[in-house]
Amino acid sequence: MIAETPSARLASEDFGAKAGVKPSYGSWLFGTIAGWGAFLGFLLFISWFLLALTRLCIWVGDQIPLDWGLSPAIGTILALVLVLVMITATLLTMADRKWSALMQDRVGPNRARLSIIPGLKDRPLHGLPHILADVLKMLFKEDFIPEGAEKNKFLFNLAPLLAFAPAFMLFAVVPVSPELTFWGARMQLQVARVDWGILYVFALASVAVFGTALAGWTSNNKLALLGGLRASAQLVSYEVTLGLTLVGALIVFGSLRLDVMAQLQGMTEASIRTAAALANRSGDFLVHDDSVIFGWLPSWGIVFQPIGAILFLVAAQAEIKRAPFDTPEGESEIIGYFLEYSGLKSGLFLIAEYAETVVVAGIVTGIFLGGYHLPWVEPTIVRSADQWLGISGFSWLAVLQVFSFIVKMLFIIWVMFIARWAFPRFRYDQIMRLGWKMMLPVSLANVALTAFVYLWGGRDGLAIMGLLEWLAIFSFVALSSRPHLPEPAHEAHH
Amino acid sequence: MKPTTDLDFGERFYLREAVKGMGVIARHFWKNLLGFRDPNAEIMQRKGPGVNMVSTMNYPEERKAYPPGYRGMHRLVPRIDGKPRCVACYMCATACPAQCIYIEAGEYDDQAIEKYPVRFEIDELRCIVCGFCVEACPKDAIRMDTGTHAPAVLSRPLAVFDKEALLQGPAVEHPSDLMTYRVPLRTPSADPTAGPTSRGDVKDH
């Protein structure tokens, strides 16, 4: 009856309302378990892949007769910067949008399709094709330089690079794994094991100011200049707090090296080996795990430095210019310093923000969340892997340690994204007041208190101080809350 | 000057409210991530254990039915023999304030009905969905009861719907049809299920 004219086909396709198919609880349970399994499996695979890639580079370096000694560094640069940071930052561009949607009771972007691949024609794939769509959009947009910026074309082009590069360079000092043996080679997933680790963090965090200031100034646009000024002032202000909070961690661990800091928050390889070897028949370890305080508490930085950790997270959020500290960009109304950038340069600014998020989360993990350490169970893993799988337990432990680092890092990123939607954007004067009049004095007091307690009671004293601080924070949050007002009856059904 | 505020100390100190706010966001996140999505078009009726708080409808895949009186896209009502009921009287085209209906009349040789539309086209881009054509039609031959709107098209010519495209939906018979054409009534038509009833319909009980 209906002819095959184009409009007839359209009419027949669009005729009537379609109801969605309600999924059964069985398929929902299956989907949830399969999704989480795939996610954790992917993280485990990435952990193994990072180690294997570094090992491969070391092997390739061994094949070269010239003794150049750079292969571990190249391997870790490839594995950490290009694989870990870049993949995480790329996925975060999508995760940001999807997680924001979940926090705001939305579905999130799911319109992009990979229709070229046969079988995927009408599948949203949970929005993953949007990553590709975003990248292609950035690549193929016109790269336009405004007339006013032509005079400073070099600096104009340099600014996105200066915003982008420090984020990646910062990851050089983040320890993703301890020094370990993987397939017969000693290596560590850390690009640079340098004595000035934290100083390097401060120095490169300051370099990021140049990117924003240059971008604002060379754009030759009043609004961009104002955005650049806001950004520069904010970054300079919060660097102070950022540095002072890490001074507390410095006192606790007594080292500027991030790998030493991470190492001190768990068992060393030697003590794991001893503990795994010296276990009695019922599986109890005869070696006392001296990395736990009071016999049960993991000696993570967040235990010693609760205020330092919270202040560092807040200051870092301001330092990477993410909401609620995003007055420099103000993407929705007050336009920010990268106003005049288009195409891939604008994309560089955007991806730099996510890379900075990853790096900050890595630093927080390394200093405050025990780095790659799994508390309590490291000897058990080695011993069971040795016993049941018949292979070196330390290789399994290495993969699991990298895995735990990535999981902790993702958790910190998630907390930062939660904070992004929990707060409205701070006004410029509020940012300055928070930075100079609240966070700076508190971080100074934290440094003084930490130093005093350390001199008086050592690490155990610091642990007690930290627990008391946690107790104070929790009781303040839990006990001081105002009783809920009874809701009006008509609002109960909204 | 001291700012006047009704906030208590905990709210002014910000930390407690910050933690509480982040807790709210986190609760929404986990409930929507792990929850079970009920695609019921009536959002208020999305209930059940573990149902998440997402109130979005994925529009082209999931649709809410328009209300019963919705003036949607036109259709040319078929007779039970499949031919349009239209007798090409031009009344709809005359009544149309947007002048979006184009009719070319033809003549039947063998039937009591003399005229029929050779071409019957509606430009859905010009149509203002006023429903005057439906009011004007003496034969109940054009209706707007499809329950859908005109589809989106990629070019203007595709929005001109011809007779074949418009002729759809359940057939309608009318008592006066007995006098006008000689086909056996009650022949099983393509879609004998009752369409929307209105004046002039003969319901087969």
Side-chain angles (χ1 to χ4, degrees), chain A residues 3 5-7 10 14-15 18 21-23 25 28 36 102-103 105 107 110-111 113 414 423 426 477 480 482, chain B residues 6 11 14 16 18 25 28-30 32 34-36 39 49 58 61 63 146 148 151 153 158 161-162 164 168:
Chain A
T5 58
S7 40
L10 274 170
D14 236 33
F15 197 92
K18 286 176 244 174
V21 185
K22 182 166 181 170
Y25 277 91
W28 165 63
W36 278 93
L102 288 175
M103 291 165 201
D105 297 349
V107 170
N110 61 357
R111 287 296 110 187
R113 300 280 193 275
W414 178 76
F423 305 107
F426 291 141
V477 168
S480 74
R482 201 184 260 189
Chain B
D6 59 345
E11 283 158 350
Y14 211 73
R16 187 188 84 207
I25 301 284
H28 277 252
F29 178 86
W30 287 111
N32 290 333
L34 301 176
F36 171 72
N58 286 323
E61 291 90 25
R63 291 171 192 197
T146 50
T148 182
V153 288
L158 289 181
F161 281 67
D162 53 9
E164 285 75 23
Q168 53 183 329

Short mmCIF file of all heavy atoms in Angstrom, two decimals, chain A residues 3 5-7 10 14-15 18 21-23 25 28 36 102-103 105 107 110-111 113 414 423 426 477 480 482, chain B residues 6 11 14 16 18 25 28-30 32 34-36 39 49 58 61 63 146 148 151 153 158 161-162 164 168:
data_model
loop_
_atom_site.label_atom_id
_atom_site.label_comp_id
_atom_site.label_asym_id
_atom_site.label_seq_id
_atom_site.Cartn_x
_atom_site.Cartn_y
_atom_site.Cartn_z
N ALA A 3 3.94 3.30 -1.01
CA ALA A 3 4.91 3.27 -2.11
C ALA A 3 6.31 3.56 -1.58
O ALA A 3 6.49 4.05 -0.47
CB ALA A 3 4.52 4.31 -3.16
N THR A 5 8.44 5.82 -2.17
CA THR A 5 9.01 7.15 -2.32
C THR A 5 9.76 7.51 -1.05
O THR A 5 9.49 6.95 0.00
CB THR A 5 7.90 8.18 -2.55
OG1 THR A 5 7.01 8.11 -1.44
CG2 THR A 5 7.13 7.89 -3.81
N PRO A 6 10.73 8.42 -1.12
CA PRO A 6 11.48 8.75 0.09
C PRO A 6 10.59 9.25 1.21
O PRO A 6 10.76 8.86 2.36
CB PRO A 6 12.43 9.86 -0.39
CG PRO A 6 12.53 9.69 -1.84
CD PRO A 6 11.23 9.12 -2.30
N SER A 7 9.63 10.10 0.87
CA SER A 7 8.79 10.63 1.93
C SER A 7 7.90 9.56 2.51
O SER A 7 7.62 9.55 3.70
CB SER A 7 7.96 11.79 1.41
OG SER A 7 7.50 11.50 0.13
N LEU A 10 9.98 7.71 4.98
CA LEU A 10 10.12 8.50 6.19
C LEU A 10 8.86 8.41 7.03
O LEU A 10 8.91 8.22 8.24
CB LEU A 10 10.37 9.97 5.82
CG LEU A 10 11.82 10.34 5.58
CD1 LEU A 10 11.87 11.72 5.00
CD2 LEU A 10 12.58 10.27 6.88
N ASP A 14 8.52 6.84 10.82
CA ASP A 14 8.25 7.72 11.93
C ASP A 14 6.85 7.58 12.46
O ASP A 14 6.42 8.38 13.26
CB ASP A 14 8.49 9.18 11.48
CG ASP A 14 9.48 9.84 12.39
OD1 ASP A 14 10.37 9.11 12.86
OD2 ASP A 14 9.36 11.02 12.64
N PHE A 15 6.13 6.58 12.02
CA PHE A 15 4.72 6.51 12.37
C PHE A 15 4.56 5.96 13.78
O PHE A 15 4.97 4.87 14.08
CB PHE A 15 3.99 5.61 11.36
CG PHE A 15 2.52 5.78 11.40
CD1 PHE A 15 1.89 6.69 10.56
CD2 PHE A 15 1.76 5.06 12.29
CE1 PHE A 15 0.53 6.87 10.61
CE2 PHE A 15 0.40 5.23 12.34
CZ PHE A 15 -0.21 6.14 11.50
N LYS A 18 6.98 4.87 20.00
CA LYS A 18 7.61 3.62 20.41
C LYS A 18 7.94 3.71 21.89
O LYS A 18 8.44 4.73 22.36
CB LYS A 18 8.90 3.40 19.64
CG LYS A 18 8.69 3.00 18.20
CD LYS A 18 10.02 2.90 17.50
CE LYS A 18 10.10 3.93 16.41
NZ LYS A 18 11.39 4.03 15.77
N VAL A 21 12.12 -0.65 25.62
CA VAL A 21 12.00 -1.99 26.17
C VAL A 21 12.56 -1.97 27.58
O VAL A 21 13.69 -1.55 27.80
CB VAL A 21 12.77 -3.01 25.31
CG1 VAL A 21 12.53 -4.40 25.82
CG2 VAL A 21 12.37 -2.87 23.87
N LYS A 22 11.75 -2.37 28.52
CA LYS A 22 12.24 -2.37 29.89
C LYS A 22 13.16 -3.57 30.09
O LYS A 22 12.77 -4.72 29.86
CB LYS A 22 11.06 -2.47 30.86
CG LYS A 22 11.51 -2.42 32.30
CD LYS A 22 10.34 -2.18 33.24
CE LYS A 22 10.84 -2.12 34.66
NZ LYS A 22 9.85 -1.68 35.60
N PRO A 23 14.40 -3.32 30.47
CA PRO A 23 15.31 -4.45 30.65
C PRO A 23 14.92 -5.24 31.89
O PRO A 23 14.41 -4.68 32.85
CB PRO A 23 16.68 -3.78 30.83
CG PRO A 23 16.36 -2.42 31.32
CD PRO A 23 15.04 -2.03 30.77
N TYR A 25 15.60 -7.55 35.24
CA TYR A 25 16.58 -7.42 36.31
C TYR A 25 17.77 -8.36 36.08
O TYR A 25 18.88 -8.05 36.48
CB TYR A 25 15.93 -7.70 37.66
CG TYR A 25 15.22 -6.49 38.20
CD1 TYR A 25 13.89 -6.25 37.93
CD2 TYR A 25 15.91 -5.56 38.96
CE1 TYR A 25 13.25 -5.13 38.40
CE2 TYR A 25 15.28 -4.43 39.43
CZ TYR A 25 13.95 -4.22 39.16
OH TYR A 25 13.33 -3.10 39.61
N TRP A 28 20.06 -6.66 33.72
CA TRP A 28 20.67 -5.53 34.40
C TRP A 28 21.81 -5.99 35.30
O TRP A 28 22.91 -5.43 35.28
CB TRP A 28 19.61 -4.81 35.21
CG TRP A 28 20.12 -3.86 36.23
CD1 TRP A 28 20.84 -2.74 36.01
CD2 TRP A 28 19.94 -3.95 37.65
NE1 TRP A 28 21.14 -2.12 37.20
CE2 TRP A 28 20.60 -2.84 38.22
CE3 TRP A 28 19.29 -4.86 38.48
CZ2 TRP A 28 20.61 -2.63 39.59
CZ3 TRP A 28 19.31 -4.63 39.84
CH2 TRP A 28 19.96 -3.54 40.38
N TRP A 36 31.54 -3.98 35.22
CA TRP A 36 32.59 -3.79 36.23
C TRP A 36 33.74 -4.76 36.00
O TRP A 36 34.90 -4.41 36.19
CB TRP A 36 32.01 -3.96 37.63
CG TRP A 36 31.36 -2.72 38.09
CD1 TRP A 36 30.03 -2.41 37.96
CD2 TRP A 36 31.99 -1.59 38.69
NE1 TRP A 36 29.81 -1.16 38.46
CE2 TRP A 36 30.98 -0.63 38.92
CE3 TRP A 36 33.29 -1.29 39.05
CZ2 TRP A 36 31.25 0.60 39.50
CZ3 TRP A 36 33.56 -0.07 39.63
CH2 TRP A 36 32.54 0.86 39.86
N LEU A 102 25.80 11.55 35.22
CA LEU A 102 25.30 10.68 36.28
C LEU A 102 25.04 11.47 37.55
O LEU A 102 24.07 11.23 38.26
CB LEU A 102 26.31 9.57 36.57
CG LEU A 102 26.43 8.50 35.50
CD1 LEU A 102 27.54 7.54 35.84
CD2 LEU A 102 25.13 7.75 35.37
N MET A 103 25.93 12.45 37.83
CA MET A 103 25.73 13.22 39.05
C MET A 103 24.51 14.12 38.94
O MET A 103 23.93 14.52 39.94
CB MET A 103 26.97 14.08 39.32
CG MET A 103 28.18 13.26 39.72
SD MET A 103 29.65 14.24 39.59
CE MET A 103 30.90 12.99 39.47
N ASP A 105 21.68 13.37 37.22
CA ASP A 105 20.51 12.58 36.82
C ASP A 105 20.21 12.70 35.34
O ASP A 105 19.07 12.80 34.91
CB ASP A 105 19.26 13.01 37.61
CG ASP A 105 19.44 12.75 39.09
OD1 ASP A 105 20.41 12.08 39.43
OD2 ASP A 105 18.61 13.23 39.87
N VAL A 107 21.40 11.23 31.20
CA VAL A 107 21.95 10.06 30.53
C VAL A 107 23.35 10.37 30.02
O VAL A 107 24.24 9.54 30.07
CB VAL A 107 21.04 9.63 29.37
CG1 VAL A 107 21.71 8.59 28.53
CG2 VAL A 107 19.74 9.09 29.91
N ASN A 110 25.27 10.24 24.10
CA ASN A 110 25.28 8.88 23.56
C ASN A 110 24.81 8.86 22.12
O ASN A 110 24.26 7.90 21.64
CB ASN A 110 24.37 7.97 24.40
CG ASN A 110 22.94 8.42 24.41
OD1 ASN A 110 22.62 9.45 23.83
ND2 ASN A 110 22.08 7.68 25.04
N ARG A 111 25.07 9.97 21.40
CA ARG A 111 24.55 10.04 20.03
C ARG A 111 25.57 9.63 18.98
O ARG A 111 25.20 9.31 17.86
CB ARG A 111 24.09 11.48 19.73
CG ARG A 111 22.84 11.89 20.40
CD ARG A 111 21.67 11.09 19.94
NE ARG A 111 21.20 10.20 20.97
CZ ARG A 111 20.27 9.30 20.81
NH1 ARG A 111 19.69 9.15 19.67
NH2 ARG A 111 19.92 8.50 21.78
N ARG A 113 27.94 7.47 16.78
CA ARG A 113 27.87 6.05 16.40
C ARG A 113 29.08 5.70 15.55
O ARG A 113 29.56 6.53 14.77
CB ARG A 113 26.62 5.77 15.58
CG ARG A 113 25.32 6.05 16.27
CD ARG A 113 24.97 4.92 17.20
NE ARG A 113 23.58 5.02 17.64
CZ ARG A 113 23.18 5.76 18.66
NH1 ARG A 113 24.06 6.47 19.33
NH2 ARG A 113 21.92 5.79 19.00
N TRP A 414 37.99 11.05 40.65
CA TRP A 414 36.54 11.01 40.85
C TRP A 414 36.13 12.01 41.92
O TRP A 414 35.12 12.72 41.79
CB TRP A 414 36.13 9.59 41.22
CG TRP A 414 34.68 9.42 41.48
CD1 TRP A 414 33.69 9.37 40.55
CD2 TRP A 414 34.05 9.30 42.75
NE1 TRP A 414 32.48 9.21 41.18
CE2 TRP A 414 32.69 9.16 42.54
CE3 TRP A 414 34.52 9.27 44.06
CZ2 TRP A 414 31.78 9.01 43.56
CZ3 TRP A 414 33.62 9.12 45.08
CH2 TRP A 414 32.27 8.99 44.82
N PHE A 423 30.00 22.30 44.15
CA PHE A 423 30.13 23.71 44.51
C PHE A 423 29.80 24.60 43.33
O PHE A 423 30.15 24.29 42.20
CB PHE A 423 31.56 24.03 44.95
CG PHE A 423 32.04 23.16 46.05
CD1 PHE A 423 32.97 22.17 45.80
CD2 PHE A 423 31.55 23.32 47.31
CE1 PHE A 423 33.40 21.36 46.81
CE2 PHE A 423 31.98 22.51 48.33
CZ PHE A 423 32.91 21.53 48.08
N PHE A 426 33.41 29.85 42.60
CA PHE A 426 33.74 30.92 43.53
C PHE A 426 33.98 32.20 42.76
O PHE A 426 34.54 32.18 41.66
CB PHE A 426 35.00 30.56 44.32
CG PHE A 426 34.79 29.44 45.28
CD1 PHE A 426 35.75 28.47 45.48
CD2 PHE A 426 33.62 29.34 45.99
CE1 PHE A 426 35.56 27.44 46.35
CE2 PHE A 426 33.40 28.31 46.88
CZ PHE A 426 34.39 27.35 47.06
N VAL A 477 31.80 17.38 61.20
CA VAL A 477 30.87 17.22 60.08
C VAL A 477 29.61 16.52 60.54
O VAL A 477 28.49 16.88 60.19
CB VAL A 477 31.56 16.45 58.94
CG1 VAL A 477 30.55 16.03 57.91
CG2 VAL A 477 32.64 17.30 58.32
N SER A 480 27.76 18.53 64.16
CA SER A 480 27.35 19.93 64.21
C SER A 480 26.22 20.24 63.25
O SER A 480 25.82 21.37 63.12
CB SER A 480 28.53 20.84 63.90
OG SER A 480 28.80 20.78 62.52
N ARG A 482 22.76 20.78 61.53
CA ARG A 482 21.50 21.33 61.99
C ARG A 482 20.41 20.27 61.79
O ARG A 482 20.44 19.54 60.81
CB ARG A 482 21.19 22.54 61.11
CG ARG A 482 20.23 23.52 61.68
CD ARG A 482 19.99 24.58 60.65
NE ARG A 482 20.76 25.80 60.91
CZ ARG A 482 20.57 26.90 60.23
NH1 ARG A 482 19.71 26.95 59.25
NH2 ARG A 482 21.28 27.97 60.50
N ASP B 6 21.80 34.31 58.50
CA ASP B 6 21.17 33.33 59.38
C ASP B 6 21.89 31.99 59.31
O ASP B 6 21.38 30.97 59.75
CB ASP B 6 19.70 33.16 59.02
CG ASP B 6 19.53 32.70 57.59
OD1 ASP B 6 20.51 32.81 56.84
OD2 ASP B 6 18.43 32.25 57.24
N GLU B 11 27.85 26.17 58.86
CA GLU B 11 27.60 26.54 57.46
C GLU B 11 28.57 27.62 57.02
O GLU B 11 29.03 27.61 55.87
CB GLU B 11 26.16 27.01 57.31
CG GLU B 11 25.17 25.86 57.28
CD GLU B 11 23.77 26.29 57.67
OE1 GLU B 11 23.59 27.44 58.12
OE2 GLU B 11 22.86 25.49 57.52
N TYR B 14 31.99 26.22 56.19
CA TYR B 14 31.99 25.68 54.83
C TYR B 14 32.37 24.21 54.73
O TYR B 14 31.91 23.51 53.85
CB TYR B 14 32.94 26.47 53.93
CG TYR B 14 32.49 26.51 52.49
CD1 TYR B 14 31.41 27.28 52.12
CD2 TYR B 14 33.11 25.76 51.52
CE1 TYR B 14 30.98 27.30 50.83
CE2 TYR B 14 32.69 25.77 50.22
CZ TYR B 14 31.61 26.55 49.88
OH TYR B 14 31.18 26.57 48.60
N ARG B 16 31.74 21.57 56.59
CA ARG B 16 30.69 20.58 56.80
C ARG B 16 29.74 20.55 55.61
O ARG B 16 29.41 19.49 55.09
CB ARG B 16 29.92 20.95 58.06
CG ARG B 16 28.93 19.90 58.45
CD ARG B 16 28.07 20.40 59.58
NE ARG B 16 26.96 21.19 59.06
CZ ARG B 16 26.37 22.14 59.76
NH1 ARG B 16 26.81 22.44 60.96
NH2 ARG B 16 25.36 22.80 59.25
N ALA B 18 30.38 21.47 52.66
CA ALA B 18 31.10 20.94 51.50
C ALA B 18 31.04 19.42 51.49
O ALA B 18 30.72 18.80 50.47
CB ALA B 18 32.55 21.41 51.53
N ILE B 25 26.11 14.58 45.87
CA ILE B 25 26.51 14.32 44.49
C ILE B 25 26.96 12.87 44.33
O ILE B 25 26.59 12.18 43.35
CB ILE B 25 27.65 15.28 44.10
CG1 ILE B 25 27.19 16.72 44.23
CG2 ILE B 25 28.11 15.01 42.69
CD1 ILE B 25 26.30 17.21 43.17
N HIS B 28 23.99 10.50 44.23
CA HIS B 28 23.35 10.50 42.91
C HIS B 28 24.18 9.71 41.92
O HIS B 28 23.66 8.94 41.12
CB HIS B 28 23.17 11.94 42.42
CG HIS B 28 21.95 12.59 42.96
ND1 HIS B 28 20.84 12.86 42.20
CD2 HIS B 28 21.66 13.03 44.19
CE1 HIS B 28 19.92 13.42 42.94
NE2 HIS B 28 20.39 13.55 44.16
N PHE B 29 25.51 9.91 41.95
CA PHE B 29 26.39 9.23 41.01
C PHE B 29 26.24 7.72 41.12
O PHE B 29 25.99 7.03 40.13
CB PHE B 29 27.84 9.64 41.30
CG PHE B 29 28.85 8.96 40.44
CD1 PHE B 29 29.16 9.48 39.21
CD2 PHE B 29 29.48 7.80 40.85
CE1 PHE B 29 30.08 8.86 38.40
CE2 PHE B 29 30.40 7.18 40.04
CZ PHE B 29 30.71 7.71 38.82
N TRP B 30 26.36 7.21 42.35
CA TRP B 30 26.34 5.74 42.49
C TRP B 30 24.96 5.18 42.21
O TRP B 30 24.82 4.11 41.63
CB TRP B 30 26.84 5.34 43.87
CG TRP B 30 28.30 5.53 43.99
CD1 TRP B 30 28.93 6.47 44.76
CD2 TRP B 30 29.33 4.82 43.31
NE1 TRP B 30 30.29 6.38 44.58
CE2 TRP B 30 30.56 5.37 43.70
CE3 TRP B 30 29.33 3.78 42.40
CZ2 TRP B 30 31.77 4.91 43.22
CZ3 TRP B 30 30.55 3.32 41.92
CH2 TRP B 30 31.73 3.88 42.33
N ASN B 32 22.76 6.35 40.16
CA ASN B 32 22.50 6.36 38.73
C ASN B 32 23.42 5.42 37.98
O ASN B 32 23.07 4.90 36.93
CB ASN B 32 22.67 7.77 38.18
CG ASN B 32 21.58 8.69 38.65
OD1 ASN B 32 20.50 8.24 38.94
ND2 ASN B 32 21.88 9.96 38.75
N LEU B 34 24.75 2.48 39.24
CA LEU B 34 24.43 1.09 39.50
C LEU B 34 22.94 0.80 39.36
O LEU B 34 22.55 -0.35 39.33
CB LEU B 34 24.88 0.70 40.92
CG LEU B 34 26.37 0.88 41.18
CD1 LEU B 34 26.69 0.58 42.62
CD2 LEU B 34 27.16 -0.03 40.27
N GLY B 35 22.14 1.86 39.27
CA GLY B 35 20.70 1.66 39.28
C GLY B 35 20.19 1.03 37.99
O GLY B 35 20.88 0.86 37.01
N PHE B 36 18.93 0.75 38.04
CA PHE B 36 18.25 0.02 36.99
C PHE B 36 17.36 1.02 36.27
O PHE B 36 16.59 1.73 36.91
CB PHE B 36 17.43 -1.06 37.68
CG PHE B 36 16.50 -1.80 36.81
CD1 PHE B 36 16.98 -2.70 35.89
CD2 PHE B 36 15.14 -1.62 36.93
CE1 PHE B 36 16.11 -3.39 35.09
CE2 PHE B 36 14.27 -2.30 36.13
CZ PHE B 36 14.76 -3.19 35.22
N PRO B 39 12.56 2.51 31.44
CA PRO B 39 12.29 3.43 30.33
C PRO B 39 10.82 3.79 30.21
O PRO B 39 10.38 4.15 29.12
CB PRO B 39 12.78 2.65 29.12
CG PRO B 39 12.57 1.24 29.50
CD PRO B 39 12.68 1.13 30.99
N PRO B 49 12.34 -1.51 42.63
CA PRO B 49 13.57 -1.59 43.42
C PRO B 49 14.79 -1.26 42.59
O PRO B 49 14.95 -1.77 41.48
CB PRO B 49 13.58 -3.05 43.90
CG PRO B 49 12.69 -3.77 42.96
CD PRO B 49 11.66 -2.80 42.51
N ASN B 58 15.50 8.75 25.90
CA ASN B 58 16.36 8.76 24.72
C ASN B 58 15.46 8.93 23.51
O ASN B 58 14.97 7.96 22.94
CB ASN B 58 17.16 7.46 24.64
CG ASN B 58 18.26 7.45 25.65
OD1 ASN B 58 18.87 8.48 25.93
ND2 ASN B 58 18.51 6.30 26.22
N GLU B 61 14.67 6.78 20.10
CA GLU B 61 14.44 5.37 20.41
C GLU B 61 13.25 5.20 21.34
O GLU B 61 12.54 4.21 21.25
CB GLU B 61 15.68 4.76 21.06
CG GLU B 61 16.87 4.59 20.13
CD GLU B 61 17.77 5.81 20.13
OE1 GLU B 61 17.75 6.54 21.14
OE2 GLU B 61 18.46 6.05 19.13
N ARG B 63 9.80 7.00 22.96
CA ARG B 63 8.91 8.13 22.75
C ARG B 63 7.73 8.05 23.67
O ARG B 63 7.26 6.96 24.01
CB ARG B 63 8.40 8.13 21.31
CG ARG B 63 9.49 8.44 20.37
CD ARG B 63 9.03 8.23 18.99
NE ARG B 63 10.19 8.27 18.12
CZ ARG B 63 10.12 8.44 16.82
NH1 ARG B 63 8.95 8.56 16.25
NH2 ARG B 63 11.20 8.47 16.11
N THR B 146 -2.79 10.61 13.15
CA THR B 146 -1.71 9.62 13.09
C THR B 146 -0.94 9.52 14.40
O THR B 146 -0.16 8.61 14.60
CB THR B 146 -0.72 9.97 11.98
OG1 THR B 146 -0.37 11.34 12.13
CG2 THR B 146 -1.32 9.76 10.62
N THR B 148 1.47 11.28 15.31
CA THR B 148 2.87 11.64 15.14
C THR B 148 2.95 12.99 14.46
O THR B 148 1.95 13.51 13.96
CB THR B 148 3.62 10.59 14.32
OG1 THR B 148 4.98 10.98 14.25
CG2 THR B 148 3.07 10.50 12.92
N PRO B 151 7.80 14.12 9.94
CA PRO B 151 9.18 13.76 10.25
C PRO B 151 10.16 14.81 9.76
O PRO B 151 9.87 15.59 8.86
CB PRO B 151 9.37 12.43 9.52
CG PRO B 151 8.41 12.50 8.41
CD PRO B 151 7.23 13.26 8.92
N VAL B 153 13.24 16.11 7.70
CA VAL B 153 13.74 15.71 6.39
C VAL B 153 15.02 16.46 6.11
O VAL B 153 15.31 17.49 6.73
CB VAL B 153 12.72 15.99 5.28
CG1 VAL B 153 11.56 15.02 5.37
CG2 VAL B 153 12.24 17.41 5.36
N LEU B 158 11.62 16.59 0.07
CA LEU B 158 11.21 15.40 0.80
C LEU B 158 10.06 15.69 1.76
O LEU B 158 9.40 14.76 2.23
CB LEU B 158 12.39 14.85 1.61
CG LEU B 158 13.52 14.21 0.80
CD1 LEU B 158 14.60 13.70 1.73
CD2 LEU B 158 12.96 13.06 -0.02
N PHE B 161 4.59 15.46 0.85
CA PHE B 161 4.11 14.08 0.96
C PHE B 161 3.06 13.84 -0.11
O PHE B 161 2.09 14.58 -0.22
CB PHE B 161 3.54 13.83 2.36
CG PHE B 161 4.61 13.59 3.38
CD1 PHE B 161 5.48 14.61 3.72
CD2 PHE B 161 4.77 12.36 3.95
CE1 PHE B 161 6.48 14.40 4.65
CE2 PHE B 161 5.77 12.14 4.88
CZ PHE B 161 6.62 13.17 5.22
N ASP B 162 3.27 12.79 -0.88
CA ASP B 162 2.35 12.52 -1.97
C ASP B 162 1.23 11.58 -1.50
O ASP B 162 1.15 11.22 -0.34
CB ASP B 162 3.10 11.94 -3.17
CG ASP B 162 3.93 10.75 -2.78
OD1 ASP B 162 3.79 10.27 -1.64
OD2 ASP B 162 4.74 10.29 -3.60
N GLU B 164 0.57 8.44 -2.06
CA GLU B 164 0.95 7.12 -1.57
C GLU B 164 1.47 7.20 -0.14
O GLU B 164 1.25 6.30 0.67
CB GLU B 164 2.03 6.50 -2.46
CG GLU B 164 1.51 5.97 -3.79
CD GLU B 164 1.20 7.09 -4.77
OE1 GLU B 164 1.77 8.19 -4.60
OE2 GLU B 164 0.37 6.89 -5.66
N GLN B 168 -2.54 6.04 4.57
CA GLN B 168 -2.13 5.02 5.53
C GLN B 168 -3.07 5.05 6.72
O GLN B 168 -3.93 5.91 6.84
CB GLN B 168 -0.69 5.26 5.97
CG GLN B 168 -0.44 6.65 6.47
CD GLN B 168 1.01 6.85 6.83
OE1 GLN B 168 1.67 5.92 7.23
NE2 GLN B 168 1.49 8.06 6.65
#
